[in-house]
Coordinates of all heavy atoms in Angstrom, one line a residue:
C58 N 5.2 -2.8 -7.1 CA 6.0 -2.3 -6.0 C 7.3 -3.1 -5.9 O 7.3 -4.3 -5.8 CB 5.3 -2.3 -4.7 SG 6.4 -1.8 -3.3
F59 N 8.5 -2.4 -6.0 CA 9.7 -3.1 -6.0 C 10.2 -3.3 -4.6 O 11.3 -3.8 -4.3 CB 10.8 -2.4 -6.8 CG 10.5 -2.4 -8.3 CD1 9.8 -1.4 -8.9 CD2 10.9 -3.5 -9.0 CE1 9.5 -1.4 -10.3 CE2 10.6 -3.6 -10.4 CZ 9.9 -2.5 -11.0
G60 N 9.4 -2.9 -3.6 CA 9.7 -3.1 -2.2 C 9.1 -4.3 -1.6 O 9.8 -5.2 -1.1
C61 N 7.8 -4.5 -1.8 CA 7.1 -5.7 -1.2 C 6.7 -6.7 -2.3 O 6.3 -7.8 -2.0 CB 5.9 -5.2 -0.4 SG 4.5 -4.5 -1.5
G62 N 6.8 -6.3 -3.6 CA 6.6 -7.3 -4.6 C 5.1 -7.2 -5.1 O 4.8 -8.0 -6.1
E63 N 4.2 -6.4 -4.5 CA 2.8 -6.4 -5.0 C 2.8 -5.8 -6.4 O 3.5 -4.9 -6.8 CB 2.0 -5.5 -4.1 CG 1.6 -6.2 -2.7 CD 0.6 -7.2 -2.9 OE1 0.0 -7.4 -4.0 OE2 0.3 -7.9 -1.9
G64 N 1.9 -6.4 -7.2 CA 1.7 -5.9 -8.6 C 0.5 -6.4 -9.2 O -0.1 -7.4 -8.7
G65 N 0.0 -5.8 -10.2 CA -1.2 -6.2 -10.9 C -1.8 -5.1 -11.7 O -1.1 -4.1 -12.0
D66 N -3.0 -5.3 -12.2 CA -3.7 -4.2 -12.9 C -4.7 -3.5 -12.1 O -4.7 -3.6 -10.8 CB -4.4 -4.9 -14.1 CG -5.4 -6.0 -13.7 OD1 -5.7 -6.1 -12.5 OD2 -5.8 -6.7 -14.6
A67 N -5.5 -2.6 -12.7 CA -6.4 -1.8 -11.9 C -7.4 -2.6 -11.1 O -7.7 -2.2 -9.9 CB -7.2 -0.8 -12.8
L68 N -7.9 -3.7 -11.7 CA -8.8 -4.5 -10.9 C -8.2 -5.1 -9.7 O -8.8 -5.1 -8.6 CB -9.4 -5.6 -11.9 CG -10.3 -6.7 -11.2 CD1 -11.5 -6.0 -10.6 CD2 -10.7 -7.7 -12.3
K69 N -7.0 -5.7 -9.8 CA -6.3 -6.3 -8.7 C -6.0 -5.2 -7.6 O -6.1 -5.5 -6.4 CB -5.0 -7.0 -9.1 CG -4.4 -7.7 -8.0 CD -3.2 -8.5 -8.4 CE -2.6 -9.3 -7.2 NZ -1.4 -10.0 -7.6
F70 N -5.7 -4.0 -8.1 CA -5.4 -2.9 -7.1 C -6.6 -2.7 -6.2 O -6.4 -2.6 -4.9 CB -5.0 -1.7 -7.8 CG -4.6 -0.5 -6.8 CD1 -3.4 -0.4 -6.4 CD2 -5.6 0.4 -6.4 CE1 -3.0 0.6 -5.5 CE2 -5.3 1.4 -5.5 CZ -4.0 1.5 -5.1
V71 N -7.8 -2.5 -6.7 CA -8.9 -2.2 -5.9 C -9.3 -3.4 -5.1 O -9.8 -3.3 -3.9 CB -10.1 -1.7 -6.7 CG1 -9.8 -0.4 -7.4 CG2 -10.6 -2.7 -7.7
M72 N -9.1 -4.6 -5.6 CA -9.4 -5.8 -4.8 C -8.5 -5.9 -3.6 O -9.0 -6.2 -2.5 CB -9.3 -7.0 -5.7 CG -10.3 -7.2 -6.8 SD -10.0 -8.5 -8.0 CE -9.9 -10.0 -6.9
E73 N -7.2 -5.6 -3.8 CA -6.3 -5.7 -2.7 C -6.4 -4.6 -1.7 O -6.4 -4.8 -0.5 CB -4.8 -5.7 -3.3 CG -4.5 -7.0 -4.1 CD -4.3 -8.2 -3.2 OE1 -4.0 -8.0 -2.0 OE2 -4.5 -9.3 -3.7
H74 N -6.6 -3.4 -2.3 CA -6.6 -2.2 -1.4 C -7.9 -2.1 -0.6 O -7.9 -1.7 0.6 CB -6.4 -0.9 -2.3 CG -6.1 0.3 -1.5 ND1 -7.1 1.1 -0.9 CD2 -5.0 0.9 -1.1 CE1 -6.6 2.1 -0.2 NE2 -5.3 2.0 -0.4
E75 N -9.0 -2.4 -1.3 CA -10.3 -2.2 -0.6 C -10.8 -3.5 -0.1 O -12.0 -3.6 0.4 CB -11.3 -1.6 -1.6 CG -11.0 -0.2 -2.1 CD -10.9 0.8 -0.9 OE1 -12.0 1.1 -0.5 OE2 -9.8 1.2 -0.5
Q76 N -10.0 -4.6 -0.2 CA -10.4 -5.9 0.3 C -11.8 -6.4 -0.3 O -12.7 -6.7 0.3 CB -10.5 -5.9 1.8 CG -9.2 -5.7 2.5 CD -8.2 -6.8 2.2 OE1 -8.4 -8.0 2.5 NE2 -7.1 -6.5 1.5
L77 N -11.8 -6.3 -1.7 CA -13.0 -6.7 -2.4 C -12.8 -8.0 -3.1 O -11.7 -8.4 -3.5 CB -13.3 -5.6 -3.4 CG -13.5 -4.2 -2.9 CD1 -13.7 -3.2 -4.1 CD2 -14.7 -4.1 -2.0
S78 N -13.9 -8.7 -3.4 CA -13.8 -9.9 -4.2 C -13.7 -9.5 -5.6 O -13.9 -8.4 -6.0 CB -15.1 -10.8 -3.9 OG -16.2 -10.1 -4.4
Y79 N -13.6 -10.5 -6.5 CA -13.4 -10.3 -7.9 C -14.7 -9.5 -8.5 O -14.5 -8.5 -9.1 CB -13.2 -11.6 -8.7 CG -13.1 -11.5 -10.2 CD1 -11.9 -11.0 -10.8 CD2 -14.1 -11.9 -11.0 CE1 -11.8 -10.8 -12.1 CE2 -14.0 -11.7 -12.4 CZ -12.9 -11.2 -12.9 OH -12.8 -11.1 -14.3
P80 N -15.9 -10.0 -8.2 CA -17.1 -9.3 -8.8 C -17.3 -8.0 -8.1 O -17.7 -7.0 -8.8 CB -18.2 -10.2 -8.5 CG -17.8 -11.2 -7.5 CD -16.3 -11.3 -7.7
E81 N -16.9 -7.8 -6.8 CA -17.0 -6.5 -6.2 C -16.1 -5.5 -6.8 O -16.4 -4.4 -6.9 CB -16.8 -6.7 -4.7 CG -17.9 -7.4 -3.9 CD -17.5 -7.7 -2.5 OE1 -16.3 -7.8 -2.2 OE2 -18.4 -8.0 -1.7
G82 N -14.8 -6.0 -7.1 CA -13.9 -5.1 -7.7 C -14.4 -4.6 -9.1 O -14.2 -3.5 -9.5
L83 N -15.0 -5.5 -9.8 CA -15.5 -5.2 -11.2 C -16.6 -4.1 -11.0 O -16.7 -3.2 -11.8 CB -16.0 -6.4 -11.9 CG -15.0 -7.4 -12.4 CD1 -15.6 -8.6 -12.9 CD2 -14.2 -6.7 -13.6
R84 N -17.5 -4.3 -10.0 CA -18.6 -3.4 -9.8 C -18.0 -2.0 -9.3 O -18.6 -0.9 -9.7 CB -19.5 -3.9 -8.7 CG -20.3 -5.1 -9.2 CD -21.4 -5.5 -8.2 NE -22.0 -6.8 -8.5 CZ -21.6 -7.9 -8.0 NH1 -20.6 -7.9 -7.1 NH2 -22.1 -9.1 -8.4
Y85 N -17.0 -2.0 -8.5 CA -16.3 -0.8 -8.1 C -15.9 0.0 -9.3 O -16.1 1.2 -9.5 CB -15.2 -1.1 -7.2 CG -14.4 0.1 -6.7 CD1 -14.6 0.7 -5.5 CD2 -13.4 0.7 -7.5 CE1 -13.9 1.8 -5.1 CE2 -12.7 1.8 -7.1 CZ -12.9 2.3 -5.9 OH -12.2 3.4 -5.5
L86 N -15.2 -0.6 -10.2 CA -14.6 0.0 -11.4 C -15.8 0.4 -12.4 O -15.7 1.5 -13.0 CB -13.7 -0.9 -12.2 CG -12.4 -1.3 -11.4 CD1 -11.6 -2.3 -12.2 CD2 -11.6 0.0 -11.1
A87 N -16.8 -0.4 -12.5 CA -17.9 0.0 -13.3 C -18.6 1.2 -12.8 O -19.0 2.1 -13.6 CB -18.9 -1.2 -13.4
K88 N -18.8 1.3 -11.5 CA -19.4 2.5 -10.9 C -18.5 3.8 -11.2 O -19.0 4.8 -11.5 CB -19.6 2.3 -9.4 CG -20.3 3.5 -8.7 CD -20.5 3.2 -7.3 CE -21.2 4.4 -6.6 NZ -21.3 4.1 -5.1
K89 N -17.2 3.6 -11.0 CA -16.3 4.7 -11.2 C -16.4 5.3 -12.7 O -16.3 6.5 -12.9 CB -14.9 4.3 -10.9 CG -13.8 5.4 -11.2 CD -12.4 4.9 -10.8 CE -11.4 5.9 -11.1 NZ -11.5 7.2 -10.3
Y90 N -16.5 4.4 -13.6 CA -16.5 4.8 -15.0 C -18.0 4.8 -15.6 O -18.1 5.0 -16.9 CB -15.6 3.9 -15.9 CG -14.2 4.1 -15.6 CD1 -13.5 3.4 -14.6 CD2 -13.4 5.1 -16.3 CE1 -12.2 3.6 -14.4 CE2 -12.1 5.3 -16.0 CZ -11.5 4.5 -15.1 OH -10.1 4.7 -14.8
G91 N -19.0 4.7 -14.8 CA -20.3 4.8 -15.3 C -20.7 3.7 -16.3 O -21.5 3.9 -17.2
I92 N -20.3 2.5 -16.0 CA -20.6 1.4 -16.9 C -21.7 0.5 -16.3 O -21.6 0.2 -15.1 CB -19.3 0.5 -17.2 CG1 -18.2 1.3 -17.9 CG2 -19.7 -0.7 -18.0 CD1 -16.9 0.6 -18.0
E93 N -22.7 0.2 -17.1 CA -23.8 -0.6 -16.5 C -23.4 -2.1 -16.5 O -22.8 -2.6 -17.4 CB -25.0 -0.5 -17.4 CG -26.3 -1.2 -16.9 CD -27.5 -1.0 -17.8 OE1 -27.4 -0.2 -18.8 OE2 -28.5 -1.7 -17.6
V94 N -23.6 -2.7 -15.3 CA -23.2 -4.1 -15.1 C -24.3 -5.0 -15.5 O -25.4 -5.0 -14.9 CB -22.7 -4.3 -13.7 CG1 -22.4 -5.7 -13.4 CG2 -21.6 -3.4 -13.3
E95 N -24.0 -5.9 -16.5 CA -25.0 -6.9 -16.8 C -24.6 -8.2 -16.2 O -23.4 -8.6 -16.3 CB -25.1 -7.1 -18.4 CG -25.6 -5.8 -19.1 CD -25.7 -6.1 -20.6 OE1 -25.9 -7.2 -21.0 OE2 -25.6 -5.1 -21.3
E96 N -25.5 -8.9 -15.6 CA -25.2 -10.1 -14.8 C -26.1 -11.3 -15.3 O -27.2 -11.1 -15.6 CB -25.3 -9.9 -13.3 CG -24.4 -8.9 -12.8 CD -24.4 -8.8 -11.3 OE1 -24.2 -9.9 -10.6 OE2 -24.6 -7.8 -10.7
T97 N -25.5 -12.5 -15.2 CA -26.3 -13.7 -15.4 C -26.8 -14.1 -14.0 O -26.4 -13.5 -13.0 CB -25.4 -14.8 -16.0 OG1 -24.3 -15.1 -15.1 CG2 -24.9 -14.4 -17.4
Q98 N -27.6 -15.1 -14.0 CA -28.2 -15.5 -12.7 C -27.1 -16.2 -11.8 O -26.3 -16.9 -12.3 CB -29.3 -16.5 -13.0 CG -30.1 -16.9 -11.7 CD -31.3 -17.8 -12.0 OE1 -31.5 -18.2 -13.2 NE2 -32.1 -18.1 -11.0
V99 N -27.1 -15.8 -10.6 CA -26.1 -16.3 -9.6 C -26.8 -17.2 -8.6 O -28.0 -17.2 -8.4 CB -25.4 -15.1 -8.9 CG1 -24.7 -14.3 -9.8 CG2 -26.4 -14.3 -8.1
S100 N -26.0 -18.1 -8.0 CA -26.5 -19.0 -7.0 C -27.0 -18.3 -5.8 O -26.5 -17.2 -5.5 CB -25.5 -20.1 -6.7 OG -24.4 -19.5 -6.0
D101 N -27.8 -18.9 -5.0 CA -28.3 -18.3 -3.8 C -27.2 -18.1 -2.8 O -27.1 -17.1 -2.1 CB -29.4 -19.2 -3.1 CG -30.7 -19.3 -3.9 OD1 -30.9 -18.3 -4.7 OD2 -31.4 -20.2 -3.8
E102 N -26.2 -19.1 -2.7 CA -25.1 -19.0 -1.8 C -24.2 -17.8 -2.2 O -23.8 -17.0 -1.3 CB -24.3 -20.2 -1.9 CG -25.0 -21.4 -1.3 CD -24.2 -22.7 -1.4 OE1 -23.1 -22.6 -1.9 OE2 -24.7 -23.8 -0.9
A103 N -23.9 -17.6 -3.5 CA -23.1 -16.5 -3.9 C -23.7 -15.2 -3.7 O -23.1 -14.2 -3.3 CB -22.7 -16.7 -5.4
R104 N -25.1 -15.1 -3.9 CA -25.8 -13.9 -3.7 C -25.8 -13.5 -2.2 O -25.6 -12.4 -1.8 CB -27.2 -14.1 -4.2 CG -28.0 -12.8 -4.1 CD -29.5 -12.9 -4.5 NE -29.5 -13.3 -6.0 CZ -29.8 -14.5 -6.4 NH1 -30.1 -15.5 -5.6 NH2 -29.9 -14.7 -7.7
A105 N -26.0 -14.5 -1.3 CA -26.0 -14.3 0.1 C -24.7 -13.8 0.6 O -24.6 -12.9 1.4 CB -26.4 -15.6 0.8
E106 N -23.6 -14.4 0.1 CA -22.3 -13.9 0.5 C -22.0 -12.5 0.1 O -21.5 -11.7 0.9 CB -21.2 -14.9 -0.1 CG -19.8 -14.5 0.3 CD -18.8 -15.4 -0.3 OE1 -19.2 -16.4 -1.0 OE2 -17.6 -15.2 -0.1
R107 N -22.4 -12.1 -1.1 CA -22.2 -10.8 -1.6 C -23.0 -9.8 -0.8 O -22.5 -8.7 -0.5 CB -22.5 -10.7 -3.1 CG -22.1 -9.4 -3.7 CD -22.3 -9.4 -5.2 NE -23.8 -9.4 -5.6 CZ -24.3 -9.7 -6.7 NH1 -23.5 -10.2 -7.6 NH2 -25.6 -9.6 -7.0
Q108 N -24.3 -10.2 -0.5 CA -25.1 -9.3 0.2 C -24.6 -9.1 1.6 O -24.7 -8.0 2.2 CB -26.5 -9.9 0.3 CG -27.3 -9.8 -1.1 CD -28.6 -10.4 -1.0 OE1 -28.9 -11.2 -0.1 NE2 -29.5 -10.2 -2.0
H109 N -24.0 -10.1 2.2 CA -23.4 -10.0 3.5 C -22.3 -9.0 3.5 O -22.2 -8.1 4.5 CB -23.0 -11.3 4.1 CG -22.3 -11.2 5.4 ND1 -23.0 -11.0 6.6 CD2 -21.0 -11.3 5.8 CE1 -22.1 -11.0 7.6 NE2 -20.9 -11.2 7.1
Q110 N -21.5 -9.0 2.5 CA -20.3 -8.1 2.4 C -20.8 -6.6 2.2 O -20.2 -5.7 2.7 CB -19.4 -8.5 1.2 CG -18.7 -9.8 1.4 CD -17.7 -9.7 2.5 OE1 -17.0 -8.7 2.7 NE2 -17.5 -10.8 3.3
E111 N -21.9 -6.5 1.5 CA -22.4 -5.1 1.2 C -23.3 -4.6 2.2 O -23.6 -3.4 2.3 CB -23.1 -5.1 -0.2 CG -22.2 -5.5 -1.4 CD -23.0 -5.6 -2.7 OE1 -24.2 -5.6 -2.6 OE2 -22.3 -5.7 -3.7
S112 N -23.9 -5.5 3.0 CA -25.0 -5.1 3.9 C -24.5 -4.1 5.0 O -25.3 -3.2 5.4 CB -25.6 -6.3 4.6 OG -24.6 -7.0 5.3
L113 N -23.3 -4.2 5.5 CA -22.8 -3.3 6.5 C -22.8 -1.9 6.0 O -23.2 -0.9 6.7 CB -21.4 -3.7 7.0 CG -21.3 -5.1 7.7 CD1 -19.9 -5.4 8.0 CD2 -22.2 -5.1 8.9
F114 N -22.3 -1.7 4.8 CA -22.3 -0.4 4.2 C -23.7 0.1 3.9 O -24.0 1.3 4.0 CB -21.4 -0.4 2.9 CG -20.0 -0.6 3.1 CD1 -19.4 -1.8 2.6 CD2 -19.2 0.2 3.9 CE1 -18.0 -2.0 2.8 CE2 -17.8 0.0 4.1 CZ -17.3 -1.1 3.6
L115 N -24.5 -0.7 3.5 CA -25.9 -0.3 3.1 C -26.6 0.1 4.4 O -27.4 1.1 4.4 CB -26.7 -1.5 2.5 CG -26.2 -1.9 1.1 CD1 -27.0 -3.2 0.6 CD2 -26.5 -0.8 0.1
V116 N -26.4 -0.6 5.5 CA -27.1 -0.2 6.8 C -26.6 1.2 7.2 O -27.3 2.1 7.6 CB -26.9 -1.2 7.9 CG1 -27.4 -0.7 9.2 CG2 -27.6 -2.5 7.5
N117 N -25.3 1.4 7.1 CA -24.7 2.7 7.5 C -25.2 3.8 6.6 O -25.5 4.9 7.0 CB -23.2 2.6 7.4 CG -22.6 2.2 8.7 OD1 -23.1 2.3 9.8 ND2 -21.4 1.6 8.7
E118 N -25.4 3.5 5.3 CA -25.9 4.5 4.4 C -27.4 4.8 4.7 O -27.8 6.0 4.7 CB -25.8 4.0 2.9 CG -26.3 5.0 1.9 CD -25.4 6.2 1.8 OE1 -24.2 6.1 2.2 OE2 -26.0 7.3 1.4
F119 N -28.1 3.8 5.1 CA -29.5 4.1 5.5 C -29.5 5.0 6.8 O -30.3 5.9 6.9 CB -30.3 2.8 5.8 CG -31.5 3.0 6.6 CD1 -32.7 3.5 5.9 CD2 -31.6 2.7 7.9 CE1 -33.9 3.7 6.6 CE2 -32.8 2.9 8.6 CZ -33.9 3.4 8.0
A120 N -28.6 4.7 7.7 CA -28.6 5.5 8.9 C -28.3 6.9 8.6 O -28.9 7.8 9.2 CB -27.5 4.9 9.9
K121 N -27.3 7.1 7.7 CA -27.0 8.5 7.3 C -28.2 9.2 6.8 O -28.5 10.4 7.1 CB -25.9 8.5 6.3 CG -25.4 9.9 5.9 CD -24.5 9.9 4.7 CE -25.3 9.9 3.5 NZ -24.5 10.2 2.2
Q122 N -28.9 8.6 5.9 CA -30.1 9.2 5.3 C -31.2 9.4 6.3 O -31.9 10.5 6.3 CB -30.7 8.3 4.2 CG -29.7 8.1 3.0 CD -30.2 7.1 2.0 OE1 -31.2 6.5 2.2 NE2 -29.4 6.9 0.9
F123 N -31.4 8.5 7.3 CA -32.3 8.7 8.3 C -32.0 9.9 9.2 O -32.9 10.7 9.5 CB -32.4 7.4 9.2 CG -33.3 7.5 10.4 CD1 -34.6 7.3 10.4 CD2 -32.7 7.9 11.7 CE1 -35.4 7.4 11.5 CE2 -33.5 8.1 12.8 CZ -34.9 7.8 12.7

Side-chain angles (χ1 to χ4, degrees):
C58 176
F59 292 95
C61 67
E63 285 286 352
D66 55 14
L68 175 58
K69 186 175 180 183
F70 181 87
V71 298
M72 289 171 61
E73 293 288 335
H74 192 278
E75 296 298 285
Q76 295 298 296
L77 303 176
S78 64
Y79 179 75
E81 288 171 342
L83 288 170
R84 292 188 191 92
Y85 177 98
L86 295 175
K88 182 178 179 181
K89 177 178 176 64
Y90 287 92
I92 298 172
E93 183 178 353
V94 177
E95 296 184 28
E96 299 188 52
T97 58
Q98 188 174 3
V99 297
S100 67
D101 292 338
E102 294 178 358
R104 185 182 295 106
E106 182 180 355
R107 189 172 74 199
Q108 288 175 346
H109 177 73
Q110 293 292 324
E111 296 175 349
S112 58
L113 297 175
F114 294 116
L115 291 174
V116 172
N117 273 334
E118 183 64 27
F119 166 76
K121 185 192 83 167
Q122 294 173 359
F123 173 85

